[in-house]
Amino acid sequence: MPTLSLINFNIICATLGGFISLFGLVSYLFKERFYLSEALISLLAGVAFSPHGANFIRPLDYALDTDQNLEQITLCFTRLVLGVQLVLAGVQLPKRYLQIEWRSLSLLLGPVMAAMWMCSALVIWALVPNFPFLHALVVGACVTPTDPVLSNSIVKGKFADKNVPRPLQRIIIAESGANDGLGYPFLFFAIYLVQYTGMGGEGFSGGAGKAMGLWFYETWAYTILLSVGYGVTVGWISRELLHWAEEKHYVDRESFLVFAIALALFIVGTCGLIGTDDLLACFVAGNVFTQDDWFRLETMDDSLQPTIDMLLNLAVFMWFGAVCPWSLFLNNSVIPLYRLVFLGILILLVRRMPIIFALHSYIDQIENFFQTTFVGFFGPIGVGAIFYLSISREYLRKITVDGEIRADAQQLSDAVEVIVWFLVICSIVVHGLSIPFAKAGYHLPRTISAAISTNSTADPDPIPLASNLQTHSTATRDTAEKANHRGRKRDTPTPTPTPGPRHTPQPIAFQIGRSVIRAKSPESEARIGSGSEGEPARPVNLVLKEERADGP
């Protein structure tokens, strides 16, 4: 007799598939009309289906009821999502983009990242009670990189097409892709110092000198430089092999389209085997792979890569909603809730905004106050922060004395978990709702004002003057064009308008009853009622002409 099989695999497939299907039915409405990010919607769905809600998604069951296994699953999931996203981010950039825009990128990846790290650490140090500054540097390093997954919500879609110039979109993509991999030096600078100088270096000899030696050798030489070299090599070889296979007609269309995603999986796996920075290697490989712009142009109109991107986004943020330690925000030994809320507000305001305003004049893609505010505010904290959270907690477990985690390492591990998770949730919610609230705040007063003025006008004219509309749209278009392309070569050449037939302004019409009387026009004085084609028009001296509204 048939029985129900309520195993986790069946439940998770049904839940995930059902949510993606239902969300797909209204995705355009939510994303392009309400400007809600899919990350926020997926996070809320994850909470609803988690043990805090319907209990359809049971993370601890999949991790065999151990928190360490659960963190390992989350780490592997974030590595997979970030690896694919970063290769696709590299592929999206045009030909030789990193070489051409090296000046702006060096500012964003150097002084801007360092300032974000230091500002975050100072705010955390000030608000968390009895928290050493060295520990604050570790937590600040986790939230320093801007997230490439959440950045997609502000550089893609109708809002971005209307409000974010293409050069600005590209620099945001490049920054969010590169700085995720460059978070290692900031994180391990602080972690090595904690390991070798915390509590007098108990259990580890060598002091600060040993810590700096490890930082230069293991972090910079092995993790960063090796990953860059590996990414360049794999990207170049992959591009040449795909060129060769395409010329020989050995590769079919489906394999061609999925090649970049397969490349991401290969790099994540091989970098994991040798213990280097898979995130940076993926981004560099994606750039080198499309260095000649061939693959990007070939796949520009294809929807496979955006589709995979969307599926990964929905899945990972549902997972975050389910595994987030919500109860720790209320009950923890690190920081009370009111301080945690204030910390989240300050981080979103001062982590990135001051340094962007200080350096915006040196970044060519940022051209005005609005764009400076936009780039300064939209530096989301997301999947990358959870990745570095898992990396840091995994390493801190190795700082042991007599088989037990050292007291300062345990305190730091607990603080990282609470603070980073809370800041990620704050960023998803605030950045996910910022555009809808901004649009509502812009349109609502105008709508109310228009309704009041319409009701109070004695002789309303619902149809605006065409001349006013044309003047306004042209002025808006000209202003946007000047702001977007001030003194710089445009992405696509502006087509030269071809001269068309000259249009003479229409004469003013006066209506009396059903008769329409038109004023004298230059055309009417010169000619009227031409004969057959090619014959000269017969000149007349009529000044006014009466027409019937119901016929000629």
Side-chain angles (χ1 to χ4, degrees):
M1 184 176 179
T3 58
L4 293 176
S5 180
L6 301 177
I7 61 175
N8 286 324
F9 178 77
N10 294 338
I11 295 173
I12 194 66
C13 286
T15 303
L16 183 62
F19 167 71
I20 294 176
S21 300
L22 292 175
F23 174 72
L25 296 176
V26 292
S27 57
Y28 183 85
L29 178 66
F30 280 109
K31 292 162 63 175
E32 304 297 342
R33 294 288 181 86
F34 300 149
Y35 299 102
L36 292 172
S37 69
E38 58 194 22
L40 175 60
I41 297 171
S42 302
L43 180 78
L44 296 177
V47 177
F49 296 136
S50 72
H52 304 285
N55 200 28
F56 293 158
I57 302 176
R58 306 159 187 167
L60 276 176
D61 287 359
Y62 318 145
L64 304 178
D65 293 322
T66 62
D67 292 335
Q68 191 168 340
N69 288 344
L70 183 60
E71 284 190 7
Q72 189 64 32
I73 294 172
T74 303
L75 174 61
C76 294
F77 199 2
T78 54
R79 285 181 58 205
L80 172 65
V81 173
L82 288 172
V84 174
Q85 291 273 7
L86 292 176
V87 168
L88 296 183
V91 169
Q92 290 174 22
L93 297 175
K95 182 179 181 179
R96 300 180 63 248
Y97 186 82
L98 298 185
Q99 292 93 318
I100 295 172
E101 301 295 344
W102 66 270
R103 183 172 176 270
S104 298
L105 279 173
S106 62
L107 288 174
L108 291 170
L109 300 177
V112 171
M113 277 195 75
M116 290 167 63
W117 175 43
M118 195 57 59
C119 288
S120 301
L122 287 172
V123 172
I124 293 167
W125 179 52
L127 288 179
V128 180
N130 303 319
F131 204 56
F133 181 68
L134 201 54
H135 291 192
L137 287 175
V138 175
V139 183
C142 293
V143 298
T144 294
T146 55
D147 189 63
V149 182
L150 288 176
S151 294
N152 280 340
S153 64
I154 60 172
V155 297
K156 292 182 180 179
K158 188 169 67 173
F159 176 83
D161 293 339
K162 288 184 177 180
N163 300 280
V164 186
R166 183 60 58 86
L168 195 60
Q169 293 180 25
R170 287 173 174 167
I171 199 68
I172 291 173
I173 292 173
E175 181 205 3
S176 62
N179 69 10
D180 252 40
L182 292 175
Y184 273 94
F186 299 99
L187 178 64
F188 279 94
F189 175 85
I191 282 186
Y192 284 144
L193 287 176
V194 169
Q195 180 179 3
Y196 285 94
T197 64
M199 296 186 68
E202 183 180 359
F204 299 90
S205 60
K210 175 72 171 179
M212 290 299 97
L214 288 173
W215 185 62
F216 280 107
Y217 168 69
E218 290 192 358
T219 303
W220 280 106
Y222 190 82
T223 304
I224 301 299
L225 296 181
L226 178 61
S227 64
V228 171
Y230 185 72
V232 170
T233 304
V234 173
W236 181 81
I237 292 175
S238 301
R239 184 185 67 200
E240 296 301 318
L241 288 176
L242 190 60
H243 268 295
W244 172 80
E246 178 69 13
E247 290 172 359
K248 298 290 185 181
H249 301 288
Y250 290 163
V251 58
D252 61 7
R253 184 63 180 172
E254 291 77 11
S255 300
F256 182 86
L257 295 176
V258 82
F259 195 87
I261 298 170
L263 179 64
L265 298 178
F266 175 78
I267 294 174
V268 169
T270 52
C271 285
L273 290 173
I274 62 178
T276 190
D277 187 352
D278 46 0
L279 306 187
L280 187 57
C282 283
F283 180 71
V284 172
N287 276 278
V288 175
F289 181 64
T290 188
Q291 185 79 357
D292 55 0
D293 239 9
W294 171 65
F295 185 81
R296 183 178 73 90
L297 297 176
E298 286 288 330
T299 58
M300 182 177 292
D301 297 327
D302 185 76
S303 59
L304 176 64
Q305 294 176 9
T307 301
I308 299 297
D309 181 27
M310 182 201 69
L311 290 174
L312 289 175
N313 289 352
L314 294 176
V316 74
F317 284 105
M318 278 189 70
W319 179 256
F320 285 174
V323 302
C324 178
W326 300 98
S327 59
L328 286 182
F329 300 154
L330 289 173
N331 303 308
N332 64 80
S333 59
V334 179
I335 180 173
L337 181 61
Y338 75 94
R339 282 178 176 258
L340 198 57
V341 173
F342 193 45
L343 172 64
I345 296 172
L346 282 181
I347 287 290
L348 294 179
L349 291 178
V350 307
R351 162 178 166 265
R352 181 175 173 85
M353 191 85 72
I355 187 62
I356 293 295
F357 269 95
L359 297 179
H360 75 278
S361 58
Y362 301 100
I363 302 173
D364 297 335
Q365 291 77 10
I366 302 177
E367 299 176 343
N368 52 46
F369 177 81
F370 170 77
Q371 293 180 12
T372 306
T373 306
F374 179 81
V375 175
F377 179 72
F378 281 99
I381 306 169
V383 183
I386 302 301
F387 169 79
Y388 283 112
L389 159 68
S390 303
I391 290 290
S392 61
R393 281 174 59 85
E394 184 180 47
Y395 191 88
L396 289 171
R397 291 192 193 98
K398 301 176 183 178
I399 304 178
T400 58
V401 176
D402 299 329
E404 297 290 335
I405 300 178
R406 207 170 65 189
D408 61 335
Q410 184 63 56
Q411 178 195 13
L412 176 56
S413 180
D414 296 340
V416 167
E417 183 180 22
V418 175
I419 297 172
V420 173
W421 267 114
F422 186 80
L423 294 179
V424 168
I425 299 301
C426 283
S427 180
I428 294 172
V429 173
V430 172
H431 290 131
L433 294 176
S434 294
I435 295 176
F437 282 171
K439 297 290 285 187
Y442 176 74
H443 285 294
L444 188 59
R446 299 181 64 186
T447 304
I448 296 174
S449 176
I452 293 174
S453 61
T454 301
N455 293 333
S456 61
T457 303
D459 186 15
D461 184 7
I463 304 175
L465 293 176
S467 59
N468 290 347
L469 289 177
Q470 291 175 358
T471 302
H472 174 72
S473 61
T474 304
T476 304
R477 190 162 55 246
D478 292 343
T479 303
E481 189 172 341
K482 290 176 184 177
N484 292 346
H485 311 290
R486 183 185 60 195
R488 221 174 45 243
K489 183 179 178 181
R490 297 183 61 175
D491 294 330
T492 56
T494 306
T496 304
T498 57
R502 185 169 58 90
H503 296 282
T504 304
Q506 295 296 320
I508 302 174
F510 302 91
Q511 182 171 354
I512 303 175
R514 295 174 60 83
S515 297
V516 178
I517 302 175
R518 300 188 182 276
K520 178 176 66 174
S521 69
E523 294 284 336
S524 65
E525 284 194 80
R527 63 187 68 212
I528 184 170
S530 298
S532 60
E533 207 172 281
E535 294 182 8
R538 178 170 55 88
V540 296
N541 294 322
L542 293 178
V543 175
L544 296 176
K545 179 185 176 183
E546 181 177 358
E547 296 177 349
R548 298 292 297 174
D550 55 348

